Amino acid sequence: MYEEWSSRVPGAVVWTRTAQGAGVLYPVLPDGCMDLLWTSGRLLVAGPDTRAHQAGEVPGTSWAGVRFPPGTGPALLGVPAYELRDRRVALADLWPGAETRRLTELLDEAEEPAAALEAVALRRAADADPPDPALRAVVDALDAGHSVAVTARSVGLGARQLHRRSLAAFGYGPKTLARVLRLQRALALARTGMPYSEVALAAGCADQPHLARELRELAGTTLGDYVAAANRETPQPSGSSTTA
């Protein structure tokens, strides 16, 4: 079962997940974000993904996480996003060992580990530099469907500058970020019950076959399989249905 709610860290999301029994697990799909993760005895960081991550947890394993919005994780976690692309690494590899041991013990003993993890993120956010407004504008422009060229001009950056800054902030270049954001738009629309042909156009794909190719390349699944897996772990939005 998966649950999430808005964090007190601006733009972030706090989430919890308990691995269910045998069967196909709900995959973690690319979203442009970085996460601070806790599971019993371990603190980790999830870097930005370019493909589906199948966690393969033992049934009953509990997780808590704080998901930082695109471009904000590196300042809070202290590492460029490209160094963690498609990786899960121990927090002790990034922060001092004594600090991570203390935090791990604190979270293991916490009555609500998700709240304790959010408190860690809040303290880091208070000490970190504020998010770069230009990078926030890049995310907004790409998520609105603007081209990379138009986005670069809108924030006053050349193509090479935008690519270099995107690697550090998002883990990959702006073209990949645009694809990931479009994927997330499609996934959200699909769970409302919108027919998949309409999902493709509304998300910014040329047609349904284009969306299907993007799902295979970025998520390793089909839209129908994603919706079925998501609905097994989280309640389906009321009044929704699926259309193949």
Side-chain angles (χ1 to χ4, degrees):
M1 181 63 68
Y2 174 88
E3 296 181 275
E4 66 176 41
W5 56 93
S6 296
S7 172
R8 289 175 290 164
V9 178
V13 169
V14 181
W15 58 267
T16 61
R17 179 180 182 182
T18 302
Q20 303 300 298
V24 178
L25 293 174
Y26 178 73
V28 179
L29 301 185
D31 57 10
C33 301
M34 297 172 67
D35 294 58
L36 179 61
L37 310 172
W38 168 87
T39 190
S40 182
R42 301 170 66 197
L43 278 169
L44 306 99
V45 173
D49 291 322
T50 61
R51 57 183 181 271
H53 175 77
Q54 191 63 265
E57 304 104 326
V58 175
T61 302
S62 294
W63 290 80
V66 179
R67 181 182 307 120
F68 304 112
T72 62
L76 275 66
L77 298 170
V79 62
Y82 64 79
E83 292 190 7
L84 300 179
R85 183 172 55 236
D86 292 319
R87 298 177 63 199
R88 275 47 177 175
V89 302
L91 187 62
D93 292 342
L94 308 177
W95 295 5
E99 180 182 5
T100 56
R101 286 192 295 272
R102 178 183 63 81
L103 291 174
T104 301
E105 293 173 1
L106 177 68
L107 268 73
D108 285 349
E109 296 171 359
E111 184 174 345
E112 296 184 7
L117 189 66
E118 182 185 25
V120 172
L122 279 166
R123 289 193 294 271
R124 293 288 296 191
D127 294 334
D129 293 333
D132 186 339
L135 295 176
R136 180 67 256 176
V138 167
V139 175
D140 291 342
L142 294 175
D143 199 27
H146 296 308
S147 69
V148 172
V150 168
T151 298
R153 288 196 296 270
S154 71
V155 296
L157 294 174
R160 290 184 178 180
Q161 286 180 304
L162 177 58
H163 187 80
R164 183 172 61 253
R165 293 178 66 173
S166 293
L167 288 177
F170 311 122
Y172 29 63
K175 289 184 179 179
T176 299
L177 178 61
R179 292 178 67 199
V180 167
L181 295 174
R182 183 173 61 194
L183 171 72
Q184 286 296 321
R185 293 196 299 272
L187 298 178
L189 290 169
R191 290 207 69 196
T192 70
M194 179 182 289
Y196 293 170
S197 59
E198 296 180 18
V199 167
L201 297 178
C205 292
D207 51 28
Q208 191 170 344
H210 179 199
L211 175 58
R213 290 193 299 273
E214 290 292 275
L215 262 291
R216 285 196 302 271
E217 292 180 13
L218 291 173
T221 188
T222 66
L223 207 52
D225 285 347
Y226 162 78
V227 171
N231 288 341
R232 281 196 295 270
E233 286 218 22
T234 60
Q236 190 174 356
S238 59
S240 66
S241 62
T242 58
T243 303

